[in-house]
Amino acid sequence: MNNLVTYARDGGIAVITIDNPPVNALGHATRLGICEALEQFAADHDAQAAVLICAGRTFCAGADISEFNAPPEDPWLPAVVQKIEDAPKRVVAAIHGTVLGGGLELALGCHFRCAVASAKFGFPEITLGLLPGASGTQRLPRLAGIEKALDLMISGKPMDAAQARQIHIIDEIVEGDLRRGAIGYASRIVAERAPVRRISKMSVDRTAVPPDFFDRYRERIARQSRNQIAQEQIVRCVEAAVQLPYRQALKLEGRLFEKCKKSVQSRALRHLFFAEREAGKVPDLGREVATREIRKVAVIGAGTMGSGIAMCFLNAGWPVVLVESDRVGLDRGVAAIRKNFETAVQKGRMSRDEHESCMNRLIGSLDYADIGDADLVVEAVFEDMKVKKQVFAKLDALCRPGAILATNTSTLDVDEIAAVTSRPRDVIGLHFFAPANVMPLIEIVRGGKTATDVIATALALARRLRKIGTLVRVCFGFVANRMFIPYIREAQLMILEGAAPERIDQAMVEWGMAMGPNAVLDLSGLDVFHRFLGAWKDRPHDPSFCRMLTVLCERGRLGQKTGAGFYNYDGRNAVPDPEVAAVAAREAAALGIRPRRITDREIVRRLTVSLALEGARVLDEGIALRSGDIDVIFANGFGFPRYRGGPMFYAGSVGLARIEAAAARYRKRYGDRYWTPPESLARHTLRPLTKS
Ligand code: 3HC
Ligand code: NAI
């Protein structure tokens, strides 16, 4: 037996321990080890039952995802699960941590399951564009019922031990030491001669759902699964569990799993899984770099971002002092925080006690002197270099030595801000996305002089805030906003060419974006982007560049906040306005732009190619470390469809030849100002699909 799985005996109970850190993923060697241990158990006449348990922080968290780019090697997981179920003596799974995907399937192969109360159970395969492919789609409906099983697999969300017990996923919750408890439970089962339960031999209760259940279920999930393939394959598998004998349905599950695994969607989602974990790894930041201790946080500016950022830190347990220059602004910010926590309580996402303790940790202040003992200060005042410099000069004078001074600027030069302090090593950008308490991303902006331990602390902070931190360097707009510029530039040029804003948005939403580019501008405020582009030193001398933004701002159409922008607003409801098309036609005529027929395909292609080209430039300049980081930023900060992998992965999946051909077409039509692909495009778009 290999050293990943060990066999031992405690009296009459065998203990099979999987020890494959960090998460006991079920890679090939682990699967082999389990099979060998099962054979030893079968041959061990003194063992009356076995406990299957894992060392370390969790029970198996699933199949080893890094093996999925190659064909499965025997014994593949479904065979291992079956071998457990076929064991001649009782097998008990002893569960802690997160039992996910293939890990849960392994547990369902066992005849009994016990778990500690803190354990979590789930089938996250859908988040990887997969289905539970080791008999999960067949065993779970037999145990939990058709609808509950589908909900668990389609949502991908984990449940706690109490819920798992309710739907029969576990039989027993163990108090205290899991190994002891599981051995006691196994001994009891043996003593009571509890009948061995083989889930595959159970039948699915088809009477629990109406005859049109599957049709209705498909309708229910149609919206959330738009363009995606795995959801339908899961429904097909569960339907097969109802209609076909177990073995036949299992074969179908195997075929559909392979289909999903080979799909570009699953490759894209697996790419993001590893890219998100790689984002925190920085080549010149070894493990020896210590982090600074953060005990107290200060946030400057209690506007939209400041109050959201304060909530992030409060939620994660830090005391926060929120400083404003203006009494009304402070009261509004604190009230917004209270209201947000209140809503979280009402929605059951937070307890009343947590709400109170968060509010108790918050101090609102109009006095900068209150930040003197803060270990981290996050500035979120107006996006104006002069104001930022004034604030940082004050921070430099008041903050204790070693405090980290961060700016939430979305575009401005972090080095220029750092230069007004006597300690540019301590200055860094922490670019949160709006709404800060919801969005999972922070662009961590490394200035030219930022110290490595400040970067390491920022990356660690992001993890503690349960966010993904991606490290970027200084340029106008960093990665996210810089790449957004060509994206909105093209969207607006297409409006001048005669495509209605709603058509552009609809094409992008149908393709998978959370929102279309025009709706995003309306939501954020057209004036914000207008100012933002106005401050851009390298703004092209191109009269058509983001012309619609300027014209709509001039007409007071600033977006949702003024009830009109690219759309009219009836509350939050966006209503297309023919007046915008008329304005566009007038502007186009003045600029000599002729109307053209623009297809949905062109809309998607032009916007995605513009992203890929700018992404390659960003990588050439070293602003982002890796193509994967750009993909992580767009998937987590801009609602880019995860199943398309992010702009750089998507371009790679479309193929370099097609991207270059599209760029050549646009170059011919619009000139080479924007559309000359960097030579590095091939290197930056064709991402390897494996973990290495
Ligand atoms: N396969 C391979 N590597 C995995 C893995 C898996 N299933 N799960 C985690 N890892 C790796 C991560 O890449 C990371 O590696 P690194 O240290 O080199 O970056 C390391 O384990 C630790 O992972 P996290 O940083 O994510 O650790 P956390 O403690 O934050 O989270 C977790 C732990 C909740 C288990 C999280 O890792 C996770 O969600 N893992 C994926 C679970 C999953 O999707 N399982 C289903 C797999 S598909 C499957 O089982 C198919 C089957 O039905 C046939
Ligand atoms: P905001 O206008 O809502 O809030 C700014 C707040 O700062 C105001 O309440 C103002 O009274 C206060 N303030 C101004 N000068 C101050 C000073 N000297 N001391 C203390 N408080 C002061 O602005 P918003 O939207 O919150 O933006 C703040 C920063 O966050 C900007 O740099 C912006 O670029 C950035 N950002 C904004 C995003 C957004 O979507 N709103 C997204 C990401 C970053």
Side-chain angles (χ1 to χ4, degrees):
M1 203 175 314
N2 59 47
N3 58 1
L4 299 180
V5 182
T6 53
Y7 182 88
R9 206 146 39 63
D10 190 315
I13 305 297
V15 180
I16 299 172
T17 307
I18 303 173
D19 188 1
N20 180 19
V23 298
N24 292 308
L26 289 156
H28 181 241
T30 307
R31 300 196 300 272
L32 267 180
I34 297 171
C35 289
E36 285 169 14
L38 286 168
E39 273 151 31
Q40 195 170 345
F41 168 53
D44 184 349
H45 297 301
D46 295 326
Q48 296 161 306
V51 164
L52 180 65
I53 195 166
C54 290
R57 64 189 199 207
T58 182
F59 195 84
C60 303
D64 188 332
I65 304 164
S66 64
E67 288 183 354
F68 285 175
N69 293 323
E73 255 189 287
D74 283 339
W76 172 225
L77 200 51
V80 180
V81 175
Q82 193 57 49
K83 197 171 171 83
I84 297 176
E85 198 186 74
D86 291 344
K89 294 173 276 186
R90 296 170 183 86
V91 182
V92 175
I95 296 165
H96 74 296
T98 42
V99 49
L100 299 174
L104 183 47
E105 290 171 303
L106 195 77
L108 294 179
C110 298
H111 308 122
F112 302 89
R113 285 158 295 281
C114 63
V116 294
S118 58
K120 295 263 190 290
F121 302 77
F123 279 117
E125 281 88 342
I126 196 77
T127 63
L128 300 168
L130 297 169
L131 53 87
S135 67
T137 66
Q138 301 306 305
R139 284 200 166 88
L140 190 62
R142 287 172 159 76
L143 204 57
I146 296 168
E147 188 163 11
K148 295 234 164 57
L150 266 174
D151 286 350
L152 198 64
M153 293 187 275
I154 294 287
S155 75
K157 295 209 175 95
M159 60 171 61
D160 63 25
Q163 290 167 310
R165 191 173 187 187
Q166 242 175 25
I167 62 169
H168 314 297
I169 286 181
I170 52 171
D171 307 293
E172 182 98 350
I173 293 183
V174 172
E175 309 275 342
D177 181 63
L178 176 62
R179 191 176 192 273
R180 273 288 98 240
I183 290 172
Y185 178 53
S187 308
R188 217 169 69 225
I189 289 167
V190 171
E192 290 169 358
R193 295 170 190 267
V196 173
R197 266 189 290 133
R198 296 191 164 88
I199 298 174
S200 71
K201 305 281 183 236
M202 292 162 65
S203 55
V204 183
D205 180 7
R206 63 181 75 190
T207 61
V209 295
D212 61 350
F213 171 80
F214 286 102
D215 292 339
R216 284 175 178 271
Y217 202 90
R218 285 187 168 95
E219 278 167 28
R220 202 173 102 196
I221 62 167
R223 215 176 117 87
Q224 79 190 68
S225 51
R226 181 173 34 211
N227 300 337
Q228 295 169 73
I229 62 168
Q231 284 82 349
E232 169 57 19
Q233 311 315 317
I234 289 175
V235 178
R236 275 180 74 189
C237 286
V238 176
E239 216 170 15
V242 178
Q243 293 166 350
L244 300 178
Y246 180 77
R247 296 267 159 214
Q248 237 175 298
L250 196 65
K251 273 199 183 138
L252 178 76
E253 181 200 81
R255 272 204 312 277
L256 297 182
F257 179 78
E258 281 300 309
K259 174 180 166 168
C260 289
K261 199 180 80 172
K262 287 182 184 144
S263 68
V264 176
Q265 294 188 358
S266 176
R267 286 171 189 266
L269 288 157
R270 274 143 48 198
H271 155 69
L272 278 176
F273 176 86
F274 287 120
E276 283 171 355
R277 279 148 185 89
E278 204 181 1
K281 292 168 192 150
V282 177
D284 65 334
L285 214 65
R287 281 180 190 276
E288 72 287 353
V289 178
T291 54
R292 297 189 189 178
E293 198 181 343
I294 307 295
R295 287 160 307 226
K296 182 175 172 184
V297 177
V299 177
I300 314 292
T304 311
M305 292 307 289
S307 49
I309 293 168
M311 281 180 68
C312 295
F313 285 100
L314 291 168
N315 270 327
W318 272 288
V320 174
V321 53
L322 180 61
V323 178
E324 249 295 332
S325 55
D326 160 60
R327 161 62 60 197
V328 177
L330 181 62
D331 291 347
R332 197 174 39 227
V334 172
I337 293 173
R338 181 173 288 113
K339 186 162 167 249
N340 246 303
F341 283 145
E342 197 59 58
T343 309
V345 172
Q346 277 157 15
K347 293 195 171 159
R349 290 199 297 259
M350 184 183 223
S351 71
R352 176 74 44 207
D353 282 355
E354 283 164 340
H355 174 289
E356 265 174 39
S357 105
C358 278
M359 287 312 291
N360 289 341
R361 283 198 301 276
L362 174 66
I363 297 172
S365 170
L366 294 170
D367 186 355
Y368 271 72
D370 288 337
I371 66 168
D373 59 345
D375 306 294
L376 166 72
V377 185
V378 186
E379 164 278 312
V381 304
F382 303 132
E383 186 75 345
D384 177 321
M385 184 53 97
K386 229 162 66 202
V387 182
K388 301 264 191 215
K389 282 182 173 173
Q390 281 163 7
V391 170
F392 271 77
K394 256 191 212 167
L395 299 185
D396 190 30
L398 289 169
C399 290
R400 66 161 193 78
I404 296 177
L405 311 182
T407 170
N408 183 48
T409 178
S410 35
T411 55
L412 300 174
D413 186 338
V414 174
D415 290 327
E416 197 178 330
I417 296 173
V420 302
T421 71
S422 61
R423 37 173 136 177
R425 288 171 48 77
D426 298 338
V427 177
I428 194 164
L430 289 181
H431 179 212
F432 289 75
F433 287 65
N437 53 315
V438 176
M439 295 296 279
L441 183 72
I442 306 177
E443 268 186 324
I444 299 173
V445 189
R446 167 185 205 162
K449 293 188 177 158
T450 309
T452 48
D453 66 336
V454 172
I455 298 170
T457 309
L459 286 162
L461 272 174
R463 276 194 295 279
R464 237 190 102 182
L465 294 174
R466 295 179 177 274
K467 293 191 190 283
I468 300 166
T470 48
L471 189 65
V472 301
R473 284 191 189 268
V474 176
C475 71
F476 185 79
F478 317 122
V479 173
N481 283 319
R482 168 165 166 182
M483 286 179 61
F484 197 55
I485 297 173
Y487 182 75
I488 56 169
R489 177 197 73 215
E490 288 310 307
Q492 293 191 34
L493 185 54
M494 284 191 271
I495 299 177
L496 293 180
E497 291 175 324
E502 61 275 16
R503 261 225 35 234
I504 296 171
D505 283 357
Q506 200 188 341
M508 292 314 287
V509 168
E510 272 168 18
W511 179 77
M513 293 297 287
M515 286 173 92
N518 303 306
V520 168
L521 289 175
D522 271 2
L523 179 68
S524 312
L526 269 55
D527 54 327
V528 173
F529 277 89
H530 192 238
R531 264 201 312 275
F532 154 68
L533 292 174
W536 185 24
K537 287 194 218 90
D538 300 324
R539 188 186 162 108
H541 299 289
D542 169 2
S544 69
F545 177 80
C546 291
R547 180 69 195 144
M548 285 304 291
L549 194 65
T550 308
V551 179
L552 294 178
C553 281
E554 281 165 6
R555 293 171 161 254
R557 299 183 70 119
L558 305 184
Q560 286 195 18
K561 60 185 165 194
T562 55
F566 284 98
Y567 297 87
N568 285 337
Y569 288 88
D570 171 14
R572 284 199 153 184
N573 226 350
V575 184
D577 182 355
E579 170 64 13
V580 174
V583 170
R586 277 199 299 278
E587 289 300 319
L591 290 163
I593 296 171
R594 295 230 181 111
R596 299 179 42 246
R597 202 179 78 82
I598 297 179
T599 61
D600 287 1
R601 194 184 153 84
E602 176 176 343
I603 294 171
V604 171
R605 192 47 61 89
R606 237 163 105 179
L607 296 189
T608 52
V609 172
S610 72
L611 282 178
L613 264 47
E614 195 63 17
R617 292 181 195 114
V618 157
L619 286 161
D620 283 347
E621 291 169 30
I623 303 300
L625 267 169
R626 302 165 270 244
S627 302
D629 289 1
I630 294 181
D631 289 342
V632 168
I633 289 171
F634 272 78
N636 292 286
F638 276 112
F640 195 98
R642 290 182 70 84
Y643 57 85
R644 299 199 190 273
M648 306 316 285
F649 182 93
Y650 178 68
S653 71
V654 168
L656 186 65
R658 282 154 103 184
I659 300 291
E660 286 186 335
R665 265 197 315 278
Y666 305 143
R667 201 160 56 239
K668 200 163 156 207
R669 200 187 296 150
Y670 302 108
D672 54 8
R673 184 196 325 239
Y674 304 127
W675 292 110
T676 305
E679 276 175 18
S680 57
L681 190 65
R683 193 157 33 90
H684 294 318
T685 52
L686 294 175
R687 288 272 303 150
L689 297 171
T690 58
K691 191 179 176 190
S692 59

